[in-house]
Amino acid sequence: MAPELFAEQYWAQRPLLTRAEDTGNSFTDLLDLPAVDELLSRRGLRTPFLRIAKDGAVVDPKRFTTSGGAGAEIADQVSSDAVLRLFADGSTVVLQGLHRLWPPLIEFADQLAADLGHPTQVNAYVTPPSSQGFSPHYDVHDVFVLQVAGEKHWTIHEPVLPDPLRTQVWTGRADEVAVAAAREPVVDAVLRPGDALYLPRGYLHSGKALGEISAHLTVGIHSVTRWAAAESVLDLVRTLAAEDRTLRGSLPLGVDLSDPDVVADDVAAVVEGLRDWLGRVDPAEVADRLRARTWAQVRPEPVAPLAQSAAAAALGPDTVLRLRRRLRCALRDADDGRVGLLAGRRTHSFPAETRAALAELLAVGELKVGDLPGLEPADRVTLARRLVTESIATVPDAALPEHGDPTGTHR
């Protein structure tokens, strides 16, 4: 399906089930059952990167964690033998935050976030045969369910609260959810490897594994909402209105707050004053706050600290600089005449004369140090070194020096 069609007909509106024969995907390049075993047994996982649930109840982490042994006496490391016992007894294993742990999913989730414009996360749910981990519930973020192994029977119901916010979790409406889950489902289907199911936030869902181990990835999309814009507006008004001496004024001496009529005029004056300040809010400043909040949640390409440090020390005019992949950047002219570079969750200040070089790197994505425009040779190296050490750009072929090479020259 073309992204434009999905955006118009399904995004934040209604579920979409797509079968493997239509996508041509199996998703095992992202995760498979041997990878799950490796994560559980050899990666030193700690809570909360692992949850275990059975029949709708979450298992106490003390039942599947222990010390890591000599030299790693951290008490909440996952015990693979305890996980085995619980899984064999019908519990579902939930691997959380795989977009921070498993290399294929790090790349996948980061690129998806860049494509969608909304932050992402990835969890994996591994369920024993004929078992159910969670009762019907809804999520406060959109999800893509990607079936990677086995079969799972899914039932999807209409929301009890459309477009819930992050604070409006399903447990606060458990009775409504239970009633709605007893109605006719809008989707009643078995997912098999390679199938994909999209659910907007708020849709009720539950899944039960069939005759073999079932594993699926849940890709959560943390939508940037109008409510987030409202929060940014209110934050701005709170800051701006604090400069209003009228709003800072004291209530009368001896005021009786138990009588609402006593403060009615003051409340009316406050509401009127806030209306005035609301009208002064700059949409560009609201957008900038939304940008900062969203960019802070999206991870750019990881960097190799040791190799990039060695490369920064050995920069020359022929060294290639590449803008760090998936790092969202924008240039701003500062009031002091310098140039501001917004890069992910950070803002960097550069001399005005570097603007042409920074603009060219952001435009083309990759340049040799010697090709940075508008600067003297020594200043090009100085700028390039800062860009690398600040993780704004990387040296693509950076590697650690070989044994006996103290210069740190990259290969």
Side-chain angles (χ1 to χ4, degrees), residues 237-266:
V237 168
R238 186 180 293 112
T239 300
L240 294 170
E243 300 300 317
D244 189 331
R245 184 174 180 180
T246 302
L247 292 177
R248 296 202 310 268
S250 301
L251 295 179
L253 193 67
V255 63
D256 181 8
L257 295 178
S258 66
D259 183 358
D261 292 336
V262 170
V263 294
D265 289 343
D266 293 286

Side-chain angles (χ1 to χ4, degrees), residues 349-411:
S349 178
F350 290 90
E353 57 268 22
T354 65
R355 196 185 205 292
L358 293 170
E360 183 70 7
L361 179 61
L362 266 58
V364 302
E366 185 173 300
L367 278 176
K368 287 184 178 181
V369 172
D371 292 335
L372 290 169
L375 297 172
E376 296 296 324
D379 294 331
R380 291 179 184 134
V381 173
T382 298
L383 174 62
R385 184 165 291 125
R386 183 178 172 193
L387 291 172
V388 173
T389 56
E390 294 280 8
S391 299
I392 298 167
T394 62
V395 177
D397 59 349
L400 290 173
E402 294 182 354
H403 181 69
D405 176 12
T407 65
T409 303
H410 62 273
R411 300 192 298 273

